[in-house]
Amino acid sequence: MASPPTFTADIYIYISLSLHRAPEAHGAGWSKIWDAGKSDLWDRGQASPALVDIVEKHQRPGELFHPFAADGRRKRVLVPGCGRGYDVVMLALHGFDAYGLDISATGVAAAEAFASKELQNPSAANFGPNHDNKEFQSPGNVKFLEGNFFASEWENEAGGEFDLVYDYTFLCALHPTMRKNWAARMASLLDKDGLLTCLEFPMYKDRTLPGPPWGLNGALERRATDMLSVYQRK
Ligand SMILES: C[S@@+](CC[C@H](N)C(=O)[O-])C[C@H]1O[C@@H](n2cnc3c(N)ncnc32)[C@H](O)[C@@H]1O
């Protein structure tokens, strides 16, 4: 199993993001890091093992990660800050129509290149021991979008709300002052019966220390009310 990311060069990322930039403009810093060929600072080279595990344990009809809605359509899943798109491809291989969003054009091109190879010949890392149900072996579609999670210009191309959003090392990549907006965006992008799934990292890091990654311990609980207030307006 892959070890969790360490962000050994987090100082490099911190400098690239923060120099002369307000938190709302950190996206340009991420693009700069991609363009400098430094995505290996966070890239683990495969889908999240914990996501594979939870999806495969709850894929039967009526369960949370069943890839089909009651009307028979494939469920739509978004992975914001998808990087090279490992989780996007894995979710498509488990039956979802999967969308990856990244602010970096270089990142999106890398994700498209990865997906076109991986969907032809998926590696074992996409599956776990519970992947024994043939019903789900017809993959959904994969689409990568270049755009800013906090802006809406990419939404038309994505075609509507999502049944599932998966966040892995995206929330921790955002400045803590962006978390309220993150919660509001998540709530507005999800269908009213949608499911937000977050693999939180890092939980151990003091929240007052600089990032990224910024410490996340307790962040989701604190943002739950922001999400609810958007849901109530739906
Ligand atoms: C730490 S990396 C994680 C990538 C991927 N989730 C993974 O695990 O390999 C954070 C990613 O978020 C992207 N990103 C940062 N800010 C963004 C924004 N506002 N909108 C969309 N993507 C963003 C970066 O370009 C980068 O690919």
Side-chain angles (χ1 to χ4, degrees):
M1 182 182 284
S3 53
T6 54
F7 285 78
T8 45
D10 53 355
I11 297 294
Y12 175 89
I13 303 182
Y14 176 70
I15 291 170
S16 302
L17 288 187
S18 306
L19 221 55
H20 314 305
R21 285 193 186 94
E24 301 75 30
H26 278 188
W30 284 104
S31 294
K32 189 175 143 192
I33 296 169
W34 270 104
D35 293 346
K38 300 279 189 186
S39 62
D40 58 331
L41 292 173
W42 62 81
D43 193 318
R44 306 308 299 168
Q46 65 175 74
S48 320
L51 181 65
V52 175
D53 190 50
I54 195 171
V55 166
E56 294 190 354
K57 280 186 178 150
H58 303 282
Q59 270 227 294
R60 293 198 169 76
E63 292 186 338
L64 282 178
F65 292 95
H66 186 59
F68 296 99
D71 62 5
R73 68 174 174 83
R74 281 186 197 272
K75 289 185 186 165
R76 292 159 43 76
V77 53
L78 174 69
V79 182
C82 66
R84 208 172 291 267
Y86 306 112
D87 295 319
V88 181
V89 169
M90 188 282 283
L91 287 162
L93 289 169
H94 285 77
F96 295 91
D97 277 343
Y99 294 79
L101 174 73
D102 206 283
I103 203 160
S104 161
T106 306
V108 168
E112 283 169 341
F114 168 74
S116 70
K117 279 196 190 152
E118 190 72 4
L119 289 166
Q120 297 297 320
N121 187 17
S123 67
N126 289 290
F127 307 106
N130 297 303
H131 188 69
D132 56 3
N133 194 331
K134 301 270 183 288
E135 187 189 342
F136 308 127
Q137 288 182 359
S138 106
N141 293 311
V142 167
K143 188 173 176 74
F144 291 102
L145 302 164
E146 180 191 337
N148 182 353
F149 175 75
F150 297 101
S152 57
E153 83 277 343
W154 54 272
E155 283 182 51
N156 274 350
E157 217 185 323
E161 293 177 333
F162 295 93
D163 302 287
L164 171 67
V165 179
Y166 177 60
D167 184 313
Y168 172 57
T169 57
F170 179 57
L171 179 56
C172 74
L174 303 171
H175 191 277
T177 56
M178 301 299 286
R179 287 180 185 168
K180 194 175 169 114
N181 292 352
W182 172 92
R185 280 297 277 156
M186 285 296 185
S188 85
L189 290 166
L190 276 165
D191 178 80
K192 62 176 175 32
D193 297 319
L195 177 70
L196 173 62
T197 304
C198 299
L199 181 51
E200 291 189 65
F201 164 88
M203 298 297 282
Y204 60 85
K205 186 170 174 178
D206 186 329
R207 286 189 297 113
T208 61
L209 291 176
W214 277 279
L216 283 188
N217 203 350
L220 279 183
E221 291 91 311
R222 279 190 290 281
R223 288 300 155 219
T225 45
D226 297 323
M227 295 193 68
L228 273 178
S229 69
V230 177
Y231 267 127
Q232 280 156 2
R233 295 199 294 273
K234 283 199 171 196

